Amino acid sequence: MMHHQPALHLLCSGGGIDVIFTLQGDPSLFVASAASQLLVHMLTLSVESETTKPLSTKDCDWPACAQMIIKRIEDSLQSSSASHIEQSLKLLTSLFGSCRATWTEVLWLGVAKQIESFLTEETVQLQHMLANLLLNMAWSPVFRDTEGSFWALVTSALEHLTPVQAGPLAVGILRLYKCPQDVRIQALTVLLQPMDCILRAASQPLEYAGLLDESVSDPITVESLLSSRSSCANLLCQTLAHLEQLLSLSRLPVDLPYTSLLRSLMTILQFCNGFLSPASPLGSTISRILINCFRVQRSALDVVAALSERKGSDTLIGSLFDLLLAYLESPNTSPTVLKKTFQATSKWLVRLQELSCSNSQGQQTEKILEDVFLVLQKRLCSPCWEVRDSSLEFLTVLIKCLRDQDEFRQSLLSSEVPRLTENLLEDPESYVRASAVTAVGHLAFITYFAPESPVVGNQYNKENTVAKLQEILSTDPEGFPRRAVISIFIKWLRQGCTGQLEDTEQFVSRVIQTVEHDLDWEVRLGGLELIEVFCSQTICQLGLPQCPYAPVSSAVTSSIHWNESLQVFCRAKLFSFLFRSLCDCDKPVGQRACDVLLGLKSDFYPVSTPEGSQGTGDSAVGQGIAWLQRTLRQGSLAQNFPTDGSNGVDFQDPENMMLALGAVELEELHDELNRSSDHVEKSPQSLLQDILATVGTIEENEADCY
């Protein structure tokens, strides 16, 4: 620490502090933020390097530099300038957020009274800053573990701040595990008050238990915010976002009243869609404001989805599905709201399935699934491509989560959904075609690849679907559908769906011969992943020792198996694609190809490369390998280099390939490919040159950039 002191004294003397304090108000956010951070560092450094005994609130105990900074903070807080007060509050917020030393409490005691007064005075523009300050303090053990004064201030803030200002403070406190119970209850009340108000507005007198026993602040404040067109949606969206934040925690430090909360969310969604005739004047006002308010609908559906993972809101599941289905069916549901409805529906269908396994809700489940597939059939035929797209995504999610459930499979297969999904492989919109490919690929797990496949004419249909996907891979003009096909093929191969080894070999070979000419590097990269999966599966199936599941075999049978696997890889024409990819103009492709070849090399040469495999020498094969090495070193393995052995390298000959794996310096190539050019491309100087090239090198820009 000591070598920093000359610089510190230099900054603290000669008006240095004044300059830095002034820069906190600079119009450039970067400069203002840097000035604030610098003051925090100076204060911390001064105290921690120059203090010999514990500090007290008396001035004389603080080191000179720290004393100057603290004096400026205290003066600013007492000034009449709102911007000076704001700068000092930001400075303290930053300090308490980054420094957790005990001396911060001593500093706080000197300014606490002044800051407390901001809560009750009408300096409204500062109140949102107090929430941030108190939150940073609440996360610091210095303040969190104290009794009394700090938490009393938090309580006062929750009371005095407006509901919109108090929300972030309330949710931050509810995320803390260490917090006095009364403060936690108060924070929860602040958060739930708008939701409680919605329930009360929907039915007068209240038919159900509300969310709250008592209010922290006067409910009139929340009611008036919800009655105003300018503030209603903002308050609800903020509250809903905070609830979703809390529900995303794996362990909630606080118990939420799930049933009442879900009822309140359903009420909001009914207000938004005009499904509810409110019985109170407040309810009528709110429903007029919220009708077709997409923003609130999306936020409410996010929280509905999050609640599916919490026990305790299951009693409402029947009426919840009525509401979700009404949203899925309604022509007034916008595409973005529909997407959120699909997400919430899929999560609650998974929950419903869990419940029907544990009790006799089978009939209810069957009816709901039937209704879901009926509405999905309509949505798959929508004239709006976004709707067709999110319908396919929804179907894919359902299959991923529920494909093992009998009721689900039966409902799906007795609907028109599979046929309509296959039709969308020819959709005019490329995003939809890509989503259709993914959905069809997952449908196959139920229709063709299930152990007791229920589909008639199964073999024909299966071959038809595979042929259709291969056609998309070779002819679709857009990249998205082709990427989707290769991803599905990888998934099928991983899950062992492509049949016996012989069928799989032909399948992989056909796919690779299509993929190697694809202009989209992500498709080529997918091809390499397909090869990687195929190679490791082949090695496993042939019982080779590198496979963790393989039986132990003698050296003789082992070498026969190695030879067999090499023949499979050569027949499938994998090597020409692998070696050519080493020189791919897109680096990730080269890196992946090198990784696959290194993996094969370590399989075939587990100990070290035998001397005889270096491939030098005068034989045609030796010369071919030397040519391959040279060409790779120059990075010029042409797109259409001969693969028939006319250059001495036969990529389908096992002996040739065994030698190539041993001889080519793949380790060196690997390092070369992974030696990033970031040190050149991402240097600050390079970045500045990019910016200057964009704006044109005018002198003022140049100065500004630097």
Side-chain angles (χ1 to χ4, degrees):
M1 280 284 188
M2 298 308 285
H3 63 282
H4 290 304
Q5 286 186 351
L8 188 64
H9 291 307
L10 184 67
L11 284 168
C12 288
S13 62
I17 292 253
D18 293 339
V19 173
I20 301 168
F21 263 93
T22 310
L23 286 172
Q24 282 190 110
D26 194 273
S28 160
L29 284 176
F30 294 114
V31 174
S33 171
S36 187
Q37 288 299 320
L38 180 57
L39 287 167
V40 169
H41 289 313
M42 286 166 67
L43 180 55
T44 311
L45 188 60
S46 170
V47 174
E48 290 175 1
S49 64
E50 298 180 20
T51 309
T52 48
K53 60 185 197 326
L55 293 162
S56 76
T57 40
K58 291 203 294 296
D59 278 351
C60 55
D61 293 336
W62 294 94
C65 184
Q67 203 171 315
M68 289 168 73
I69 295 173
I70 292 165
K71 177 88 171 68
R72 286 298 299 260
I73 292 172
E74 289 172 348
D75 291 349
S76 295
L77 290 172
Q78 284 164 3
S79 76
S80 55
S81 157
S83 65
H84 283 171
I85 298 172
E86 198 171 311
Q87 285 162 23
S88 286
L89 287 175
K90 272 187 186 160
L91 184 61
L92 289 171
T93 304
S94 182
L95 173 69
F96 295 139
S98 60
C99 179
R100 304 285 161 86
T102 47
W103 61 264
T104 53
E105 188 182 13
V106 182
L107 167 58
W108 167 251
L109 292 171
V111 295
K113 277 278 172 285
Q114 184 60 37
I115 287 176
E116 212 169 321
S117 71
F118 295 144
L119 276 176
T120 45
E121 285 173 21
E122 289 303 304
T123 42
V124 177
Q125 69 270 40
L126 298 173
Q127 296 190 329
H128 68 283
M129 300 193 63
L130 295 177
N132 284 341
L133 173 67
L134 293 175
L135 207 47
N136 272 7
M137 291 171 73
W139 283 99
S140 166
V142 176
F143 302 102
R144 190 177 61 215
D145 300 340
T146 56
E147 291 302 316
S149 62
F150 168 69
W151 290 112
L153 183 58
V154 171
T155 304
S156 170
L158 288 169
E159 268 173 45
H160 287 100
L161 295 175
T162 68
V164 174
Q165 292 164 344
L169 178 59
V171 78
I173 285 164
L174 291 171
R175 295 180 68 147
L176 289 170
Y177 282 100
K178 274 188 148 184
C179 163
Q181 188 62 11
D182 57 330
V183 180
R184 184 172 283 159
I185 290 167
Q186 193 185 4
L188 186 58
T189 309
V190 166
L191 188 62
L192 294 179
Q193 208 166 4
M195 306 302 288
D196 186 59
C197 193
I198 290 283
L199 271 185
R200 290 175 193 282
S203 53
Q204 216 88 9
L206 197 59
E207 294 168 37
Y208 313 105
L211 278 159
L212 302 172
D213 303 328
E214 59 187 66
S215 294
V216 172
S217 58
D218 185 354
I220 297 296
T221 319
V222 172
E223 284 176 16
S224 66
L225 284 169
L226 291 176
S227 308
S228 151
R229 194 169 284 278
S230 61
S231 54
C232 178
N234 281 345
L235 175 59
L236 283 178
C237 285
Q238 177 179 291
T239 303
L240 293 164
H242 287 156
L243 284 166
E244 195 196 357
Q245 240 179 59
L246 271 188
L247 289 165
S248 70
L249 299 177
S250 52
R251 221 178 101 228
L252 262 177
V254 62
D255 282 332
L256 289 171
Y258 296 125
T259 306
S260 306
L261 186 54
L262 184 56
R263 188 172 276 119
S264 176
L265 289 161
M266 287 163 66
T267 306
I268 290 174
L269 289 167
Q270 286 169 321
F271 275 150
C272 290
N273 227 357
F275 295 158
L276 191 68
S277 316
S280 71
L282 175 63
S284 303
T285 308
I286 293 174
S287 69
R288 274 200 306 277
I289 294 170
L290 289 183
I291 194 83
N292 286 335
C293 181
F294 301 155
R295 206 155 59 98
V296 172
Q297 287 174 322
R298 289 197 299 265
S299 301
L301 286 161
D302 280 337
V303 187
V304 167
L307 273 177
S308 66
E309 289 166 32
R310 303 281 167 183
K311 311 282 180 277
S313 39
D314 304 331
T315 47
L316 299 173
I317 204 160
S319 44
L320 173 62
F321 271 109
D322 289 343
L323 178 62
L324 291 171
L325 282 161
Y327 259 75
L328 292 176
E329 281 164 3
S330 168
N332 297 330
T333 306
S334 77
T336 53
V337 172
L338 184 74
K339 194 180 175 83
K340 294 283 186 189
T341 312
F342 276 140
Q343 286 166 357
T345 306
S346 61
K347 289 207 159 188
W348 277 96
L349 280 171
V350 172
R351 180 89 193 102
L352 180 69
Q353 206 68 51
E354 289 165 5
L355 290 171
S356 68
C357 291
S358 58
N359 59 30
S360 56
Q361 280 191 313
Q363 275 183 311
Q364 184 192 18
T365 305
E366 210 172 305
K367 174 79 179 82
I368 288 171
L369 283 169
E370 205 175 296
D371 292 342
V372 166
F373 288 125
L374 271 174
V375 76
L376 187 56
Q377 284 171 194
K378 287 184 199 153
R379 291 300 192 176
L380 286 168
C381 303
S382 167
C384 170
W385 75 263
E386 289 96 337
V387 170
R388 299 195 300 278
D389 192 50
S390 51
S391 304
L392 289 163
E393 284 174 357
F394 170 64
L395 175 61
T396 303
V397 170
L398 287 188
I399 296 171
K400 280 180 181 173
C401 300
L402 299 172
R403 77 182 207 208
D404 298 333
Q405 308 293 333
D406 288 339
E407 290 160 321
F408 170 75
R409 286 202 303 267
Q410 282 159 7
S411 298
L412 172 57
L413 295 174
S414 57
S415 74
E416 290 290 299
V417 168
R419 183 182 63 80
L420 294 169
T421 303
E422 295 218 355
N423 290 350
L424 290 175
L425 290 171
E426 293 173 15
D427 196 275
E429 184 58 55
S430 68
Y431 289 114
V432 179
R433 292 198 300 279
S435 296
V437 165
T438 308
V440 164
H442 282 83
L443 259 173
F445 290 124
I446 294 176
T447 51
Y448 315 133
F449 302 141
E452 60 305 314
S453 181
V455 179
V456 188
N458 187 23
Q459 196 51 39
Y460 165 75
N461 286 339
K462 176 181 170 182
E463 284 163 12
N464 221 11
T465 302
V466 173
K468 181 69 198 154
L469 294 189
Q470 284 183 327
E471 185 190 336
I472 290 172
L473 184 62
S474 52
T475 61
D476 198 295
E478 298 286 336
F480 293 111
R482 302 200 308 273
R483 287 178 202 171
V485 172
I486 195 72
S487 297
I488 281 299
F489 284 169
I490 292 165
K491 197 174 280 293
W492 284 359
L493 187 61
R494 275 191 196 287
Q495 305 212 1
C497 299
T498 50
Q500 300 304 310
L501 182 57
E502 202 175 317
D503 301 334
T504 302
E505 181 191 317
Q506 287 174 357
F507 169 74
V508 169
S509 182
R510 224 179 9 250
V511 172
I512 292 307
Q513 285 171 70
T514 305
V515 162
E516 66 182 334
H517 304 296
D518 203 294
L519 296 177
D520 187 314
W521 70 269
E522 289 194 43
V523 177
R524 299 198 298 279
L525 193 64
L528 293 169
E529 191 182 336
L530 189 80
I531 289 179
E532 197 169 19
V533 175
F534 175 62
C535 290
S536 68
Q537 284 187 352
T538 304
I539 287 169
C540 263
Q541 283 181 14
L542 293 172
L544 292 163
Q546 256 61 12
C547 169
Y549 315 106
V552 178
S553 56
S554 71
V556 177
T557 55
S558 177
S559 76
I560 293 168
H561 285 325
W562 281 121
N563 196 19
E564 205 178 323
S565 66
L566 197 57
Q567 283 174 353
V568 169
F569 302 153
C570 287
R571 273 201 311 268
K573 302 181 179 167
L574 306 186
F575 283 110
S576 60
F577 178 44
L578 281 170
F579 277 109
R580 182 188 290 153
S581 296
L582 290 172
C583 298
D584 197 284
C585 53
D586 288 286
K587 207 178 202 177
V589 177
Q591 289 168 330
R592 190 62 176 262
C594 195
D595 290 342
V596 176
L597 285 164
L598 275 169
L600 288 172
K601 183 173 187 170
S602 69
D603 286 338
F604 287 101
Y605 295 112
V607 187
S608 64
T609 309
E611 288 302 310
S613 74
Q614 292 307 314
T616 50
D618 297 333
S619 69
V621 172
Q623 286 168 356
I625 300 292
W627 167 84
L628 182 62
Q629 285 239 57
R630 268 196 317 279
T631 319
L632 285 170
R633 210 173 283 130
Q634 292 155 3
S636 60
L637 206 53
Q639 274 300 92
N640 54 354
F641 74 100
T643 55
D644 56 1
S646 60
N647 47 26
V649 185
D650 183 352
F651 286 92
Q652 287 174 50
D653 175 65
E655 192 188 342
N656 258 275
M657 288 304 97
M658 190 73 177
L659 285 171
L661 279 174
V664 173
E665 291 144 357
L666 291 167
E667 292 80 3
E668 208 174 288
L669 206 59
H670 174 271
D671 294 346
E672 191 63 39
L673 284 164
N674 286 280
R675 188 173 299 130
S676 174
S677 55
D678 284 0
H679 62 282
V680 178
E681 290 164 11
K682 293 188 181 169
S683 67
Q685 190 175 352
S686 158
L687 182 63
L688 289 172
Q689 283 164 351
D690 290 347
I691 296 170
L692 290 172
T694 310
V695 295
T697 45
I698 310 157
E699 280 171 32
E700 60 184 279
N701 282 330
E702 200 161 342
D704 198 34
C705 283
Y706 283 90

